[in-house]
Amino acid sequence: MNDKRKSGASVPKTTKSKYQPSANSSRMTYILGGLAILVVAALVIGGIFWSQRDKGSADDSALSANATMIAGPGTAPTIDLFEDPLCPICGQFEKQYGQQINAAITGNKIRVRFHTLDFLNQKSASGDYSVRAAGALTCVAAEGNTDVYLKFHSALFSNQPQEGGSSDLTNADLARIAGEQGASPATTKCIADGAKVGEAGDKATASFEELQKVLGDQAGTPTVLHNGEAVDISNTNWLNDIIGSDNS
């Protein structure tokens, strides 16, 4: 597993504050700053800043092949969303933008390739929560019901365990939550059995490699890519800007 993986969102150059987890997870630096989230004034969320010398190009076909789920029409502008299910800033991102993204998908205004990363496994109580949650999302995606996937994706962050906490969600918990969002019995069994965990782990590794092509050692979560470039998500109108620019 790549030791350069980072969780968090960076901000404009003028903001230098960083949150560094415990020493045994120093590879995961949360870069905070910019815009205060509504109910947590001290917590801010921004876009990923990257060095031009590290910037490259992700492989569009690989982004499609390794997405956990692709939701929205092919004719709409496409974004790639990279998250780790245990990443607390991804949870804040979901609270701020999740409903807006889901509405844009169901309104046929945006196409989202969801990428579920798993580099925070070691910060979960079970030691493998991120990849098991990714496996659960992969099971739900295989059902082919966009509405159920979006509901389950949101529910995962609503029930998000604490990074470094004493407990997380079991496969049975994940299956139950998926069932509550409308997943079929076959899908909940897939989750309970951990049937897609291996596949999800492979996709997580491949997706992170594509993200590194763009951001180098600044790769982290949450990240949104559009046309192969990182989006400044400290701009609260970023989604509408993408929809408007691609439809103008």
Side-chain angles (χ1 to χ4, degrees), residues 1 4 6 13 31 44 46 61-63 65 104 112 131 139 143 170 180 203-204 207-208 214 235 241:
M1 192 170 295
K4 293 184 178 180
K6 299 179 181 178
K13 294 183 182 179
I31 309 170
V44 292
S61 61
L63 289 173
V112 181
V131 74
C139 286
E143 187 171 324
T170 65
E180 291 170 351
K203 286 187 174 183
S207 288
F208 186 76
V214 180
N235 167 19
D241 287 346

Side-chain angles (χ1 to χ4, degrees), residues 5-169:
R5 303 185 185 193
K6 299 179 181 178
S7 168
S10 68
V11 295
K13 294 183 182 179
T14 54
T15 303
K16 300 297 184 183
S17 60
K18 293 185 179 182
Y19 164 61
Q20 180 69 52
S22 59
N24 65 359
S25 60
S26 59
R27 65 182 182 172
M28 298 175 291
T29 302
Y30 290 80
I31 309 170
L32 308 178
L35 175 71
I37 300 292
L38 296 176
V39 296
V40 187
L43 180 60
V44 292
I45 185 167
I48 298 290
F49 167 70
W50 64 96
S51 167
Q52 288 297 322
R53 70 175 180 273
D54 292 330
K55 185 179 177 183
S57 299
D59 183 334
D60 191 73
S61 61
L63 289 173
S64 290
N66 294 303
T68 307
M69 174 72 171
I70 301 176
T75 54
T78 298
I79 61 173
D80 289 274
L81 174 57
F82 297 80
E83 305 166 301
D84 186 301
L86 196 64
C87 165
I89 305 177
C90 295
Q92 292 296 328
F93 179 89
E94 173 65 24
K95 287 179 182 177
Q96 187 169 17
Y97 296 116
Q99 290 186 358
Q100 186 180 359
I101 292 171
N102 292 353
I105 291 171
T106 57
N108 296 323
K109 296 179 180 180
I110 198 77
R111 177 175 177 253
V112 181
R113 293 186 290 209
F114 290 90
H115 301 271
T116 313
L117 305 186
D118 63 0
F119 57 88
L120 284 176
N121 274 327
Q122 69 170 11
K123 296 296 290 181
S124 66
S126 61
D128 61 358
Y129 173 72
S130 293
V131 74
R132 289 190 296 102
L137 284 163
T138 305
C139 286
V140 174
E143 187 171 324
N145 188 318
T146 298
D147 183 58
V148 171
Y149 181 88
L150 296 178
K151 287 180 178 178
F152 180 55
H153 176 270
S154 297
L156 272 186
F157 284 105
S158 296
N159 292 275
Q160 186 180 52
Q162 181 180 0
E163 179 190 3
S166 59
S167 65
D168 55 41
L169 301 176

